[in-house]
Amino acid sequence: MSRRHAAAASLALFDGAALATVAPRYVAGVDEAGRGPLAGPVAVAAVVFCPDRPRLNGLDDSKQLTAARRDQLYDKILDRALAWHVVMVDVGEIDTLNIYQATMLGMRRAVEGVAHVAQFARIDGNVVPKGLPCPAQALIGGDALDRAIMAASILAKVSRDRFMQRLHDAHPEYGFDQHKGYGTPAHLAALRNHGPCPQHRRSFAPVRACLEPALSSLPA
């Protein structure tokens, strides 16, 4: 079974208010990038397309596209979308809330940013965040099925990659331009050699492990 067919067969989860009798015209697609890395924010985007405008060709899950193609589509999405909003949930909030809750917070903020247009939100994944300003549906594999979610996936990925490039310019010793904060062998080696920078997630075990020897050496 292909990935797309498997995703289509997955259960779509609704919140209690989502069962409307009339299909909404303006639907926000919502997706995130950067839950797994050891450094940098988690990015969340929401995109609303107008059904009366021409469809934007070439959309796909951002992970299936080259960086160059994502950059091309990024500008086209901004031009074609009826509304869009990108949120960066910073490292401080990630370490305070945990990555799951920080992602839920980012999704809520992203939907709030398009709430003046969106009648409904479709979230990539299996959870509808609490406190959304409109009814919503969680769609497993949505970044391979729903065009607005695909667009949100691209905006989130490109926005976060650009943030990590700027972080590389400030801290070139970690190689953020290559791994974007993920726990590659090169990144882990840089962490051991240099210790964490302010954009490393202290609540993540590999980063915390680099701090513990220093903490244990402090006088009582």
Side-chain angles (χ1 to χ4, degrees):
M1 181 181 291
S2 71
R3 179 173 179 269
R4 290 177 184 272
H5 286 112
S10 298
L11 178 64
L13 305 177
F14 291 80
D15 75 358
L19 302 176
T21 57
V22 179
R25 280 176 54 80
Y26 302 115
V27 178
V30 183
D31 202 3
E32 53 77 24
R35 287 183 67 170
L38 307 180
V42 60
V44 186
V47 176
V48 182
F49 286 125
C50 178
D52 299 326
R53 294 180 182 176
R55 288 162 61 96
L56 177 58
N57 294 326
L59 293 176
D60 202 345
D61 174 8
S62 65
K63 296 184 291 296
Q64 305 303 315
L65 302 169
T66 65
R69 185 58 178 151
R70 288 194 297 264
D71 282 335
Q72 293 171 355
L73 286 167
Y74 180 94
D75 293 329
K76 292 180 179 180
I77 292 165
L78 299 192
D79 180 65
R80 193 69 60 87
L82 182 63
W84 61 273
H85 192 62
V86 178
V87 171
M88 295 287 188
V89 184
D90 64 30
V91 170
E93 288 182 300
I94 291 170
D95 285 340
T96 299
L97 298 173
N98 73 48
I99 186 60
Y100 173 79
Q101 294 297 339
T103 303
M104 294 297 104
L105 174 63
M107 288 180 171
R108 186 168 69 246
R109 289 174 176 169
V111 175
E112 288 171 351
V114 297
H116 61 292
V117 170
Q119 300 168 320
F120 191 86
R122 194 166 287 132
I123 313 291
D124 182 56
N126 60 1
V127 177
V128 173
K130 296 179 181 179
L132 295 182
C134 62
Q137 170 194 16
L139 181 62
I140 298 171
D143 53 4
L145 298 170
D146 183 275
R147 294 173 60 78
I149 295 179
M150 293 175 190
S153 172
I154 293 166
L155 292 196
K157 174 64 174 168
V158 172
S159 297
R160 189 179 188 280
D161 283 356
R162 292 176 179 178
F163 179 98
M164 297 308 292
Q165 180 61 56
R166 295 191 295 273
L167 186 58
H168 171 76
D169 295 340
H171 299 281
E173 64 271 23
Y174 297 101
F176 290 129
D177 61 327
Q178 297 298 312
H179 52 67
K180 304 301 187 292
Y182 283 89
T184 64
H187 188 189
L188 293 173
L191 258 177
R192 289 191 295 269
N193 291 333
H194 303 288
C197 78
Q199 283 292 329
H200 277 100
R201 301 173 182 178
R202 267 66 176 168
S203 57
F204 279 44
V207 180
R208 190 167 61 247
C210 291
L211 290 169
E212 286 170 351
L215 293 175
S216 64
S217 67
L218 293 175

